[in-house]
Amino acid sequence: MRDLARRLALTLALACLSIAPASAAAAATASGTGTASGAAAVSGGTSGAGADITAIRVTMEPRTDGVVHVKEEITFSGKPPVRTLLTRVRHDDTHDRLYRVTNLKGDGRLSGDVITLTGSGKATLEYDVTGAFTPMSGVEELRWYAVNGWSVPVQQAVVTVSGSAQIQNLSCFAGDLTSVVGCTIAEMDHTGTTATFEQQNLRPGQALTVVIGYPAGASGGAKPILERRFDLATAFTLNAVTGGALAGLLVLLLGGVGLLYWTRGRDARVIGHEAQEITGLQNGTFSPPDGVRPGQIGTLIDEQADVVDVTATIVDLAVRGYLLIEEQPRQAYEAPDWVLVKRSNAPVNALLPYERALYDAIFDGRDAVPLSQLRGTFAEKLDTVRDELYKDVVRQGWFAHRPDTVRSRWTVIGLILAVLGVIATVLLAWFTTYGLLGLAVIIGGAALAWGGQYMPAKTAKGSAALAHTLAFRRHLLSGQVDTNVPAAQRVELFSRYLPYAIIFDSVEPWARLVADVSGNGRQADNLYWYHGPAEWDLSRFADSMRVFTTTTSGAISTARRLRSL
């Protein structure tokens, strides 16, 4: 009786729906032109929405391998409707649940998650669904959005689920996806293996969701398909596991960088070379420790061939008689300038390779060149001079390998490691909650790239030369002079100290010392290697020398690298 009453009610509802449009059309015809236009507008809006689905019958067959085979029979009016399958739903705070629809057959096309029906009036679809089963305590739950995502209203939906296992429980929900309102009918037959669900008047996008409980093992142990959902907060979760792993990896990487420096980048230890202060005098003549030249000292100390090393070498070449520095006269607001003049008959073949490269770069076939003309053009040739400086410190036996090559090698390795760390961080953060481990690799790579600047290691000979050089530096910075030096030798001797004072950033004190004496112990207008303009005397030499070193460094490079020793 209950089934008969339900069928009679459904027949009555369909009859009313079929009579209503005819009545509306008759009323529109009777009421004249203006009313007809309004009715036409309403009718046009309905057909533009794609008409509707009159009835849809879905048959679901759960199989023992966890796959649900689905067959749909759709009766529709108007343009073929479109269905957007629900293949991803929120499972928990970190994961989405996926439903995979495959093997679509029948009167439709599947593009991504969208099924477009073909034909007119009726369509039949068949497909398989994977991921619809969920194991629970003692049962397995089948959940599927049997009717959902249609672009048009659904007047009548009937879903039948028939399998071999006994149904333990069943329920259904109708309306929006989050609805908890039950469907119109949810029942099972006398065998307990078939369930039927019905719902009327679903709006576009609404769903009829069926839920059925089966005994454990009915699906062959199928599990839901879960995909981790990316979340920045969970991707870098800090807990006992990730924190401990991060700390361990940091200790391993940073400890490795430290061990690498200890074994590969540390200067050879030299016992007994912690020298007392070295004056640079031997038997009354200038003798720098280990015969080190000013340009070599700069590279030996900071392991870099800097602009200031080149500047000091230019002054050293002048002091040693290879060129003359002539300061040019100028007006009050004119920029200072100097002319470097080639000394005739200078023994250029006695120059070290880096000194000869610098000498040739300065004159380049000329006998004299204004310092201002070196600005810009000389910077292009500076790389050759630096290259020779690096080769020179290896030839001297102070380094086993060129410092710039060693720095570049370890810096590049560190940068590669940091880039790999970035890639690892992205992958770990996207697929796991261990993104912090990738950050540890980035930190390790950055530490190696930074530490690469300190990887050039001096040999035992280089460490000894450095110890002597630093002892010589202490003497230069003290400003003390040997009063026993004959007056006739003081200008030349103190001038020899001046290029080293440039390296040690102590130009003015030694320039004043040079200006205080001449070859016969009295003031002079010029030095043998430095000439000033008219109305100039050695009382201005300290200022001239300070401006010259600054201007020279700026002329041969776009920026001067200042050194703090």
Side-chain angles (χ1 to χ4, degrees):
M1 291 297 293
R2 177 184 171 186
D3 184 61
L4 179 60
R6 177 172 57 80
R7 293 180 182 277
L8 287 174
L10 180 58
T11 304
L12 249 184
L14 291 174
C16 291
L17 288 171
S18 63
I19 293 171
S23 300
T29 304
S31 62
T33 307
T35 307
S37 300
V42 174
S43 176
T46 302
S47 64
D52 58 11
I53 294 177
T54 307
I56 179 170
R57 181 174 294 276
V58 181
T59 303
M60 297 172 52
E61 179 190 352
R63 295 174 178 172
T64 56
D65 58 357
V67 176
V68 179
H69 182 72
V70 181
K71 180 178 180 180
E72 298 184 8
E73 297 175 350
I74 307 111
T75 302
F76 60 92
S77 61
K79 182 179 178 180
V82 173
R83 181 184 181 186
T84 301
L85 295 169
L86 185 63
T87 57
R88 178 187 294 267
V89 296
R90 180 184 176 87
H91 180 72
D92 55 27
D93 290 340
T94 58
H95 292 85
D96 288 337
R97 180 172 183 170
L98 305 183
Y99 297 90
R100 291 178 180 162
V101 176
T102 57
N103 302 324
L104 177 69
K105 301 176 183 178
D107 307 318
R109 299 186 305 272
L110 179 62
S111 176
D113 294 337
V114 178
I115 297 177
T116 303
L117 298 185
T118 58
S120 61
K122 291 185 178 182
T124 301
L125 300 174
E126 289 190 48
Y127 54 86
D128 294 329
V129 179
T130 307
F133 280 96
T134 304
M136 294 184 175
S137 56
V139 297
E140 290 184 351
E141 180 186 272
L142 166 63
R143 179 185 292 263
W144 176 238
Y145 306 91
V147 179
N148 86 288
W150 287 104
S151 60
V152 298
V154 178
Q155 293 183 15
Q156 176 73 13
V158 178
V159 179
T160 302
V161 182
S162 180
S164 59
Q166 289 290 318
I167 297 175
Q168 304 296 302
N169 54 70
L170 57 84
S171 62
C172 62
F173 305 97
D176 296 333
L177 290 176
T178 56
S179 173
V180 292
V181 178
C183 63
T184 305
I185 295 176
E187 60 185 12
M188 61 180 171
D189 66 358
H190 66 282
T191 65
T193 59
T194 301
T196 303
F197 307 88
E198 292 189 20
Q199 179 64 39
Q200 293 80 37
N201 301 322
L202 292 172
R203 294 194 301 272
Q206 289 187 329
L208 171 57
T209 305
V210 299
V211 182
I212 301 176
Y214 287 105
S219 67
K223 296 181 180 180
I225 303 171
L226 301 181
E227 182 178 276
R228 183 176 174 273
R229 184 173 56 257
F230 176 75
D231 186 340
L232 195 60
T234 58
F236 296 93
T237 300
L238 181 60
N239 52 38
V241 176
T242 59
L246 174 63
L249 191 56
L250 279 175
V251 169
L252 182 64
L253 290 172
L254 296 181
V257 172
L259 181 63
L260 188 64
Y261 172 76
W262 185 262
T263 57
R264 301 288 297 273
R266 199 163 55 107
D267 292 344
R269 189 178 179 188
V270 179
I271 305 299
H273 286 276
E274 293 77 9
Q276 299 293 325
E277 186 175 296
I278 296 178
T279 64
L281 282 177
Q282 189 173 6
N283 299 325
T285 59
F286 181 74
S287 179
D290 300 283
V292 179
R293 303 279 172 84
Q296 295 172 327
I297 282 184
T299 309
L300 177 65
I301 291 177
D302 64 4
E303 301 166 350
Q304 296 192 44
D306 293 333
V307 170
V308 69
D309 303 334
V310 178
T311 301
T313 301
I314 291 176
V315 175
D316 187 51
L317 290 176
V319 170
R320 287 160 50 202
Y322 289 91
L323 59 88
L324 174 66
I325 302 175
E326 293 184 346
E327 183 176 343
Q328 300 301 293
R330 62 189 177 97
Q331 300 300 320
Y333 298 103
E334 290 181 349
D337 199 6
W338 291 261
V339 173
L340 305 181
V341 182
K342 182 188 297 185
R343 294 278 195 180
S344 59
N345 300 322
V348 293
N349 291 331
L351 294 174
L352 295 177
Y354 82 90
E355 293 176 323
R356 181 60 185 268
L358 176 61
Y359 183 86
D360 292 340
I362 291 173
F363 294 109
D364 195 19
R366 299 167 291 192
D367 291 331
V369 56
L371 188 62
S372 57
Q373 289 187 10
L374 295 181
R375 188 180 301 274
T377 60
F378 187 79
E380 300 173 359
K381 303 173 183 177
L382 188 60
D383 288 340
T384 303
V385 179
R386 284 176 174 161
D387 185 66
E388 289 296 337
L389 266 172
Y390 285 127
K391 290 180 180 178
D392 182 78
V393 295
V394 175
R395 277 194 297 264
Q396 298 294 334
W398 298 334
F399 293 89
H401 305 283
R402 288 178 49 139
D404 59 330
T405 302
V406 174
R407 271 194 305 271
S408 298
R409 180 191 308 126
W410 290 112
T411 300
V412 169
I413 293 175
L415 291 176
I416 291 175
L417 183 60
V419 170
L420 292 177
V422 171
I423 296 173
T425 300
V426 172
L427 294 177
L428 289 171
W430 190 263
F431 295 107
T432 71
T433 59
Y434 295 92
L436 288 175
L437 301 187
L439 294 180
V441 179
I442 295 176
I443 294 172
L448 182 57
W450 175 78
Q453 305 303 308
Y454 302 94
M455 289 304 292
K458 299 178 184 67
T459 62
K461 183 178 180 180
S463 296
L466 177 62
H468 298 156
T469 298
L470 294 179
F472 180 50
R473 172 179 174 266
R474 288 195 294 271
H475 170 69
L476 277 178
L477 295 182
S478 70
Q480 298 178 359
V481 296
D482 190 346
T483 56
N484 296 323
V485 176
Q489 301 178 14
R490 289 180 182 177
V491 170
E492 180 180 0
L493 176 63
F494 297 158
S495 293
R496 291 295 305 272
Y497 280 110
L498 189 56
Y500 297 87
I502 294 174
I503 293 292
F504 298 135
D505 201 16
S506 184
V507 176
E508 288 198 49
W510 280 95
R512 291 193 184 96
L513 186 62
V514 171
D516 285 343
V517 295
S518 66
N520 57 8
R522 297 193 306 271
Q523 282 280 51
D525 290 337
N526 291 300
L527 296 173
Y528 71 92
W529 59 273
Y530 189 101
H531 290 177
E535 308 298 329
W536 182 91
D537 57 48
L538 284 180
S539 63
R540 304 180 185 179
F541 176 69
D543 290 335
S544 294
M545 201 67 228
R546 174 179 54 81
V547 177
F548 173 79
T549 55
T550 303
T551 304
T552 302
S553 295
I556 62 179
S557 179
T558 55
R560 182 188 183 190
R561 300 181 186 179
L562 299 178
R563 176 187 288 106
S564 176
L565 296 177

